[in-house]
Amino acid sequence: MSTAVGPQLRADADALAAQIAEFAAMTEPDSGPGVTRLAYTPLERAAHEHFAEHMRALGLRVWTDAAGNTNAERAGTDPSLPAIATGSHLDSVPQAGRYDGIAGVVAAMEIARLLHDQAIEHRHPLRFVVFAAEEGARFGQACTGSRIAGGLTTAADLNGKRDGNGVSIAEAMRSVGLDPTAVEAARWRPQDWRAFVELHIEQGSVLDTSCVPIGVVDQISGSTRFALRFQGRASHTGGTPMHLRADALAAAAQVVSAAEALAKDSRHHGTRITVGRLDVSPGSITTIPGECHAYVDVRDTDSDRQRETAAELVDIAHEIGRARGVAVSARPMADASPVVLPSWVRNAIVHACHERGLDYRVMPSGASHDTQMISGVVPAGMVFVPSLNHGVSHSPQELTEAADLAVGVDVLVTALLALDGMEHESPGELGETRCMTC
Ligand code: HGY
Ligand code: MN
Ligand code: MN
């Protein structure tokens, strides 16, 4: 399969760097180092509007759906065909880097500019999508915008999940002018979409350490998240002998160590367990902690092992609590299954790497992504570009070179045009696709 046009298009690294700097400047005042632009905040909407303005200036049709996802469409020569799409997210975790999600959005913006400036024609409509609320940092659940598009989250799910200030997803949506009761209208229909390919930073160090410029993702980890509550007995740190304590934090600390040991044992190669947040009360140096909340994130590419490991850790927590006279309870927060991405979309990315003379590595994603949530509705793929600084992410030290990102954009645009060149029967038979221009 060859796309005569794709390989000639070259992304402009300086333009990418400039857009990344624009988005990086959109951060909560006084939020400390890095970028803080949380889900369903005015700042996230401002970032979506910056994207929308860029796309409108290129003549694309732009709209925002009821979930807050912003779509831009460049017409194809055959409007009867389903859309080929790319995109990512613009919200961040607190004190994030400047590339997670943003890399895929500035890639979309650069591809729209390249196609416009060089008047490239394509058969399918091309859509560029910015999903809302991809990060789970604020509400616990990740990918709310793409989960709604993928039919995994409905209006009924938006009232129970709350942030640290007790604000529900639905209330946060209303605060930025969205109507959470209308999200059903934002659900994607399979017949409207041909394929979706997301560009994302790797958020690991495999590509950098192996000096490979492109990752082609074959599977995306799932995540099971829950909060453990430890109720012990607050008491005087001087007057209470060690053998008479019910120390909630000591119990939680033992569970955190047990979680690490569980993820490292021989049965769990590939499982990752993290307790990224611990709330302790009353939080006084002279009072034994009476209550503690530990927030647990279990990740795996093996669906059964992911859920079984989460259940095993809850059992261990109960056992530790009993031994210490500390009551333990678990509250589910979010759950997403791992997904395997279809090989024919993956092959379009591999083909693009061959067209560009680039080495690539087929690899899993440890992080979750919007692609995972819509992959049940539209055949999807992912392109990774290298993360430097030991693959650090969700941190101000996150780093991807603009030149490396430009190489990823070159591969992405070639892959999208290759997908456009493939003939296809009904969506169900897409596996046998052949390329029209091979
Ligand atoms: O948490 C994740 O894996 C992603 O960054 N939302
Ligand atoms: Mn991301
Ligand atoms: Mn992230």
Side-chain angles (χ1 to χ4, degrees), residues 21-36:
E22 291 255 5
F23 284 119
M26 296 180 185
T27 181
E28 292 296 349
D30 310 321
S31 58
V35 176
T36 298

Side-chain angles (χ1 to χ4, degrees), residues 15 71-73 105 118 140 154 182 208 221 243 250 310 346 368 377 413 430:
N71 299 260
E73 181 174 283
V105 173
Q118 302 195 28
T154 64
D208 183 31
S221 295
H243 69 287
R346 197 165 73 225
S368 59
V377 175
V413 69
L430 289 179

Side-chain angles (χ1 to χ4, degrees), residues 317-333:
H318 282 301
E319 218 174 286
I320 289 170
R322 272 192 294 276
R324 289 174 168 269
V326 170
V328 176
S329 57
R331 172 174 61 87
M333 292 178 71

Side-chain angles (χ1 to χ4, degrees), residues 397-408:
Q397 276 68 49
E398 191 177 83
L399 177 62
T400 289
E401 297 289 357
D404 291 344
L405 176 54
V407 169

